[in-house]
Amino acid sequence: MSMVMAPKEISSALRGDRIALVGGAGFIGHNLALGLREQGAEVLIVDNLMQNNLLANISDKTIDPFRRELNFNFLRQRFEMLRDAGVEIASADARSMLDLENALLKFMPSKIVHLAAISSAVDAKKMPGHCFDLQLITLRNVLEYTQLHPDVVNRVVFMSSSTVYGDFKTQTVDENVRPQPYGIYANTKFMGERLVRTYNEQYGLNVAIVRPSALYGERCISRRVSQAFIENALMGKPLLLEGGGDGRLDFTYITDLVDGIVRSIAVEMAPQSSNTFNITYGNSRSILELANIVKDVVPTAELQEVPRNEIKPVRGTLSTNRARDVLGFEAKWPLETGYRRYCEWYVEQWERVQAKMGTNLS
């Protein structure tokens, strides 16, 4: 049985703990690293900086020079913040057991968070083998490391996805709903969950699985809809509303997700336990509501209705009751405040790059 912890108790539980984030230089990972350092934990990021990071930003020919510079600014901010916070970074490829083990042995983590993944379901469909390697080969290596050093690692947290649910059959889903994943991305995430649970069942590994949804927040470069909308508004491109924008997502500010993950790491669990948590805002909102906030921040934004994409899953609200009851998690950032804050930050960043490059795309 777990014990719900107050913020001061979480800080006390994590102070001095050694936590490795595999694939941790991305959007979620760097924010999580900063959150863990604020609680006093020692943090190591293991990442090869190729996926949704420096190398991809430089080599991707589909990115225009302005957005490449904008992304580079976001990436530089990530690394400057990590440096200032005292986060260690090991440049290593977690697909290689030798690389991963060498990095982890130098740090000797007591807890490992697996975040390595391809950046989107669209990219996963284009590169299924690459998706498989990033999401499953890296996970296999993490799990194998726990077997090689069973008395050192006492918990693994696996970053899954709300896409494992597939089409929502009801307006709200909880962790007891049977997943029905569709596509390479969602299925490799669900396979990862099954692997983690198997290591729990057969080897007694203490595990937690986190399912986030529709993330947004500062320094993201993966072009989620929340980023695409504000960028399109600033570039004078229309915000495309499929089916009038009536599709719903449980939009979650990165600050809320980090709080939930930190709690899943810190809260004391029974030995050899396994827990799965939806960590979201806990209330779905329409794409049109998202677009209207953009239009409020950038009044020139144009909203354009387009036909519905029938292959996209039907989504809704993810219940966070279990995370509330077990972890004491309560999301604090509704779309009206969290997304507006992000949009205003994005406009400021955009204008800085405009001033630097002498480019006016708005």
Side-chain angles (χ1 to χ4, degrees), residues 42-62:
E42 299 297 323
V43 181
L44 169 72
I45 285 175
V46 180
D47 204 299
N48 63 9
L49 307 182
M50 292 174 64
Q51 184 66 29
N52 193 24
N53 217 297
L54 286 169
L55 184 58
N57 187 56
I58 292 170
S59 60
D60 188 345
K61 295 180 181 178
T62 67

Side-chain angles (χ1 to χ4, degrees), residues 129-334:
H130 188 50
C131 175
F132 188 96
D133 285 353
L134 286 178
Q135 293 178 191
L136 291 179
I137 300 301
T138 59
L139 179 60
R140 180 206 64 181
N141 290 341
V142 166
L143 295 171
E144 183 61 15
Y145 179 84
T146 67
Q147 293 305 293
L148 295 172
H149 307 280
D151 298 326
V152 179
V153 180
N154 58 45
R155 183 172 303 173
V156 168
V157 177
F158 176 63
M159 189 58 48
S160 184
S161 167
S162 59
T163 61
V164 300
Y165 290 111
D167 283 336
F168 286 22
K169 307 302 182 186
T170 54
Q171 290 184 346
T172 301
V173 298
D174 63 23
E175 297 87 347
N176 294 317
V177 170
R178 184 172 180 267
Q180 294 182 300
Y182 172 80
I184 295 294
Y185 178 84
N187 271 286
T188 50
K189 283 295 188 183
F190 188 52
M191 291 177 202
E193 289 190 6
R194 296 290 298 272
L195 276 175
V196 166
R197 291 193 190 97
T198 299
Y199 270 71
N200 165 258
E201 292 161 3
Q202 298 201 351
Y203 307 109
L205 179 64
N206 191 305
V207 302
I209 294 166
V210 173
R211 294 172 177 167
S213 170
L215 293 172
Y216 64 88
E218 292 81 356
R219 300 176 300 281
C220 180
I221 67 168
S222 58
R223 289 281 291 176
R224 293 172 167 89
V225 63
S226 51
Q227 181 186 8
F229 270 16
I230 185 65
E231 272 198 2
N232 285 356
L234 292 167
M235 289 190 289
K237 296 181 179 180
L239 281 59
L240 303 181
L241 302 175
E242 295 182 0
D246 62 350
R248 303 183 72 84
L249 291 170
D250 196 340
F251 292 103
T252 308
Y253 192 27
I254 186 64
T255 304
D256 281 332
L257 176 65
V258 165
D259 177 54
I261 303 172
V262 167
R263 288 172 177 274
S264 76
I265 297 170
V267 170
E268 184 179 347
M269 303 289 181
Q272 304 183 358
S273 66
S274 171
N275 290 274
T276 301
F277 301 107
N278 293 333
I279 303 291
T280 69
Y281 183 73
N283 182 30
S284 68
R285 305 292 293 274
S286 72
I287 304 297
L288 178 59
E289 289 177 286
L290 188 81
N292 282 334
I293 292 174
V294 173
K295 180 138 182 91
D296 198 37
V297 175
V298 184
T300 56
E302 176 192 350
L303 311 187
Q304 180 180 327
E305 185 172 342
V306 295
R308 192 184 316 280
N309 186 339
E310 298 299 337
I311 69 168
K312 289 190 176 179
V314 177
R315 309 294 294 282
T317 295
L318 283 77
S319 169
T320 58
N321 289 344
R322 180 184 293 177
R324 180 198 63 205
D325 295 343
V326 177
L327 305 177
F329 169 75
E330 292 281 357
K332 298 178 177 63
W333 290 93

